[in-house]
Amino acid sequence: MSAASKDTALRTGVIARALIYSILLVFAVFYLLPLFVMLVNSLKTLDEIRQGNMLAFPEVFTFEPWIQAWGEAQIGVEPTGLKPYFINSLVMVVPAVIISTLLGAINGYVLTKWQFRGHRVVFGLMLFSCFIPFQIVLIPMARILGILDLAGTTSGLVLVHVVYGLGFTTLFFRNYYDAFPTELIRAATIDGAGFFRIFRRILLPSSGPIIVVTVIWQFTNVWNDFLFGASFADFDSQPMTVALNNLVSSSTGVKEYNVHFAGAILAALPTLIVYVVSGRYFVRGLMAGAVKG
Amino acid sequence: MLIATLFSSDPLSFVSGKAKPLCQWRLKLLFENAVTMIERLQTYLPRLVLSPSFVLILLFVYGFIAFTGYLSVSDSRMLPSLGFVGLENYEKLFSLRHWSIALKNLAIFGILYIVICTVIGLGLAILLDMKIRGEGVLRPIYLYPMALSFIVTGTAWKWFLDPGIGLENVMHLWGWESFSFNWIKSREMAIYTVVLAAVWQSSGFVMAMFLAGLRGIDNEILKAAQIDGASNWQLYRRIVIPMLRPAFLSAFVVLAHLAIKAYDLVIALTNGGPGRATELPATFMYSYSFTRNQMGIGASSAVIMLMMIASIIIPYLYSELREKKT
């Protein structure tokens, strides 16, 4: 995205420009609306939501829904709030991201700088694995996790996320290392540097940006996953997304919209923070995931 | 030699424990063997390093696909079972009303989702590319939904579209008494609320893809066309949009495969309801495999989903990897 095209000499009049700005603003409102609704209503009492206007600011601010969502709300059978699930998600995400990123880096290194016969096929097979509908692996995965005695555990989920994240992490690093000058590697080999030394001393130090992109991508994907969490986890390992869904869709008792909204924001917070702090890398990851090859 | 750096310690050390009775020439032979072994290792090391990942993928992706493929022609019900029944499950699958509803919903959802996301994404990208003040503020606003979980998106829209407390109620309070918007509760219209929420989540991302494409277009071409007297409209229709072909293709592939995989959003937004009105293949597969004890049928629906995605992804990946080669 260079700034070179800033001087597109399109002829636009004042009215056209006003129209353009208003369209852009309308869409900004459209995208912000659900976030606004969640935020505003998570600070209202339940009565105020039921009787009042969903788009209005709270008349009485209350943090009670947040406290409830975090520590008291009934999820499943236990009134634990979302806190234990938040911790489950964290405990799952951190190792899954680290392992899949490391493996992706070393895979990308092999696939670009130590190419062997059939490396294209290997990469193709890994790449296709990014796109499979996970429904196709659910049944055997449940069996294997049972056999490995990992059913319902966080370790099991970490394994699942590492395996199905490998395709993407490998893709990211492969594309990045592809542009890295091979002459440097060759020179290092002649100087006697081995496989791992070249990786550690030459490639890794210049991999900062792609590591950030990969970590953000993996973090977002694993944190936001619902299908695997819903299929393979039990109470001790259930991630945030599953707990939030249980909270919102539980059919018993009063629907506490304000608590649901507070819970939704809690579930969204980690990825939102990552996005706000490093949006540039986030977008780059999305693009790298989209524009293949 | 490379071994020196690979093993800085004496390469013989690992045999030294057993080396006592060996005479000089045997020791030498052993040393040579060790050297060739390490050299071999050096050539095989990259493959060795890659192999755990590759084995994982082979096993957990392709092995599992084969396994599910077999289950789809087996008599599995509550648990996997290996009795072969031929294509019976597929025949049953396509005679099920639930499945035809799921396919019809996928068609509606997929087409609208892809078309609307592309139109909004392209439109916003073109507008944002017109030297807009505040682009730096607008772009992140358009894109942030992509960072959210579909469960969060579903929750937000579920209550916002709820006639009792959401948009309809707001309009009533604002004095538009006759306003009615109960799509989420209606069998006919509920699938369109899924489209709405999904478009909300992904269109900003499509915008970013097109914006990147637009920024990559050489301005000289546009200027030349303008000098030739092309209007803005012609400029975009004849030059810019055709040049965005790769972005269109990428957007299509990404959106199509997201549509076929769509699961979380439906669960959070409508849970497949009202009734079965928003059932999609992904939710169908889950309920048949795990709650209705029809694993064979569930597996066959998963195979159909894989085939749909493969028919889009494989030609795309093939052409992408091909281009790279030349």
Side-chain angles (χ1 to χ4, degrees):
Chain A
M1 273 191 222
S2 66
S5 64
K6 281 285 171 196
D7 57 338
T8 312
L10 282 175
R11 284 155 293 201
T12 42
V14 181
I15 298 170
R17 284 209 84 69
L19 196 67
I20 290 170
Y21 275 101
S22 39
I23 294 173
L24 289 173
L25 280 178
V26 165
F27 272 96
V29 169
F30 169 65
Y31 288 115
L32 283 174
L33 196 62
L35 189 64
F36 173 79
V37 166
M38 285 197 283
L39 202 57
V40 161
N41 290 286
S42 72
L43 297 167
K44 288 179 189 170
T45 61
L46 199 50
D47 280 339
E48 203 185 321
I49 294 181
R50 283 218 208 87
Q51 284 151 26
N53 183 332
M54 204 175 222
L55 294 180
F57 283 97
E59 278 159 28
V60 193
F61 277 92
T62 167
F63 287 101
E64 191 54 34
W66 285 77
I67 296 164
Q68 285 232 350
W70 181 246
E72 293 160 17
Q74 176 129 353
I75 293 161
V77 285
E78 303 276 346
T80 56
L82 289 167
K83 186 176 147 199
Y85 304 97
F86 194 90
I87 293 165
N88 285 349
S89 270
L90 271 186
V91 173
M92 166 186 78
V93 167
V94 173
V97 170
I98 293 174
I99 296 171
S100 59
T101 305
L102 281 178
L103 286 175
I106 200 100
N107 291 346
Y109 169 53
V110 171
L111 286 172
T112 50
K113 301 302 171 214
W114 298 83
Q115 292 179 340
F116 48 90
R117 261 184 49 188
H119 72 94
R120 212 175 285 275
V121 176
V122 170
F123 180 60
L125 286 173
M126 294 183 96
L127 196 53
F128 181 67
S129 78
C130 300
F131 295 97
I132 56 163
F134 292 129
Q135 279 73 19
I136 197 88
V137 298
L138 281 186
I139 303 171
M141 196 71 203
R143 288 285 281 196
I144 293 286
L145 288 177
I147 290 168
L148 296 175
D149 211 23
L150 291 174
T153 65
T154 300
S155 318
L157 284 177
V158 170
L159 172 71
V160 172
H161 285 299
V162 167
V163 169
Y164 299 111
L166 266 180
F168 272 117
T169 58
T170 302
L171 165 74
F172 288 162
F173 281 98
R174 196 204 83 122
N175 287 356
Y176 189 77
Y177 290 153
D178 205 27
F180 193 88
T182 309
E183 295 75 44
L184 271 179
I185 311 287
R186 222 168 270 151
T189 333
I190 291 164
D191 287 347
F195 177 82
F196 285 112
R197 197 211 266 276
I198 293 174
F199 182 59
R200 244 190 12 248
R201 294 285 175 78
I202 302 178
L203 281 157
L204 270 193
S206 60
S207 303
I210 198 64
I211 292 175
V212 176
V213 167
T214 312
V215 166
I216 291 174
W217 171 271
Q218 276 300 88
F219 177 81
T220 315
N221 271 358
V222 178
W223 183 276
N224 286 343
D225 160 72
F226 174 75
L227 182 62
F228 290 138
S231 308
F232 305 134
D234 56 24
F235 173 76
D236 293 330
S237 55
Q238 239 168 30
M240 193 68 174
T241 46
V242 179
L244 174 65
N245 188 52
N246 288 346
L247 171 70
V248 175
S249 62
S250 80
S251 46
T252 50
V254 195
K255 282 200 165 59
E256 292 178 305
Y257 306 109
N258 48 2
V259 178
H260 298 173
F261 285 132
I265 298 176
L266 283 173
L269 216 49
T271 50
L272 265 186
I273 290 173
V274 166
Y275 173 71
V276 170
V277 171
S278 53
R280 204 157 51 87
Y281 290 101
F282 178 82
V283 176
R284 218 190 281 175
L286 284 177
M287 301 303 220
V291 189
K292 301 270 147 11
Chain B
M1 284 285 107
L2 298 166
I3 9 152
T5 53
L6 194 65
F7 296 100
S8 48
S9 59
D10 177 16
L12 266 180
S13 59
F14 66 97
V15 289
S16 59
K18 290 177 181 174
K20 258 182 258 167
L22 298 176
C23 54
Q24 202 60 37
W25 67 270
R26 284 186 107 182
L27 208 79
K28 203 181 154 210
L29 197 75
L30 214 92
F31 179 78
E32 275 164 4
N33 273 346
V35 168
T36 46
M37 240 181 70
I38 292 164
E39 271 184 336
R40 275 246 186 91
L41 190 71
Q42 182 73 3
T43 38
Y44 282 103
L45 191 61
R47 268 167 275 189
L48 209 66
V49 165
L50 185 71
S51 57
S53 303
F54 188 56
V55 168
L56 279 180
I57 296 271
L58 277 185
L59 208 72
F60 283 79
V61 177
Y62 298 95
F64 282 9
I65 289 175
F67 188 80
T68 306
Y70 187 77
L71 287 182
S72 76
V73 291
S74 75
D75 57 355
S76 307
R77 294 183 76 86
M78 203 173 101
L79 291 166
S81 144
L82 299 181
F84 181 76
V85 295
L87 292 178
E88 202 183 297
N89 288 320
Y90 289 92
E91 281 163 24
K92 275 191 200 151
L93 176 69
F94 280 93
S95 67
L96 280 172
R97 228 177 71 84
H98 277 170
W99 179 246
S100 48
I101 292 174
L103 283 184
K104 196 183 133 202
N105 280 337
L106 178 61
I108 296 174
F109 172 70
I111 291 170
L112 286 177
Y113 173 62
I114 293 170
V115 169
I116 298 175
C117 276
T118 308
V119 170
I120 291 181
L122 179 63
L124 288 179
I126 288 176
L127 295 185
L128 266 191
D129 198 35
M130 291 186 169
K131 281 192 279 178
I132 293 300
R133 221 170 291 156
E135 186 201 321
V137 180
L138 288 171
R139 222 171 7 155
I141 291 177
Y142 295 166
L143 254 167
Y144 87 90
M146 203 64 195
L148 303 182
S149 150
F150 275 116
I151 302 294
V152 172
T153 305
T155 306
W157 283 100
K158 180 188 182 127
W159 297 141
F160 182 63
L161 296 176
D162 188 89
I165 59 163
L167 186 63
E168 183 176 302
N169 183 45
V170 169
M171 289 303 172
H172 291 176
L173 289 171
W174 281 350
W176 188 355
E177 294 291 339
S178 61
F179 181 86
S180 164
F181 191 83
N182 59 355
W183 284 10
I184 200 161
K185 300 277 184 199
S186 140
R187 278 168 176 280
E188 286 77 40
M189 304 307 280
I191 188 70
Y192 300 101
T193 62
V194 183
V195 175
L196 176 63
V199 165
W200 177 79
Q201 177 131 6
S202 326
S203 47
F205 164 51
V206 181
M207 179 279 298
M209 287 171 79
F210 280 121
L211 198 58
L214 284 173
R215 297 276 151 95
I217 291 176
D218 188 358
N219 264 315
E220 297 307 311
I221 302 173
L222 300 185
K223 279 184 191 144
Q226 275 185 335
I227 291 166
D228 287 348
S231 70
N232 284 352
W233 170 249
Q234 281 174 325
L235 211 61
Y236 275 99
R237 244 210 59 176
R238 296 283 169 79
I239 299 173
V240 175
I241 289 178
M243 284 180 85
L244 287 175
R245 236 184 75 125
F248 272 101
L249 189 63
S250 300
F252 171 77
V253 168
V254 169
L255 292 173
H257 111 275
L258 283 179
I260 298 169
K261 281 163 109 170
Y263 176 76
D264 321 8
L265 182 61
V266 182
I267 294 293
L269 189 67
T270 62
N271 200 9
R276 291 274 135 217
T278 48
E279 189 91 85
L280 284 174
T283 59
F284 175 96
M285 185 275 166
Y286 200 89
S287 65
Y288 270 74
S289 300
F290 300 113
T291 55
R292 284 163 177 264
N293 299 334
Q294 297 275 5
M295 197 170 273
I297 294 180
S300 61
S301 68
V303 170
I304 302 285
M305 286 176 68
L306 178 72
M307 278 158 57
M308 289 196 270
I309 287 188
S311 65
I312 294 167
I313 294 291
I314 288 178
Y316 176 71
L317 290 186
Y318 189 74
S319 68
E320 288 281 313
L321 291 179
R322 263 250 112 107
E323 271 167 36
K324 264 270 150 151
K325 205 173 183 175
T326 50

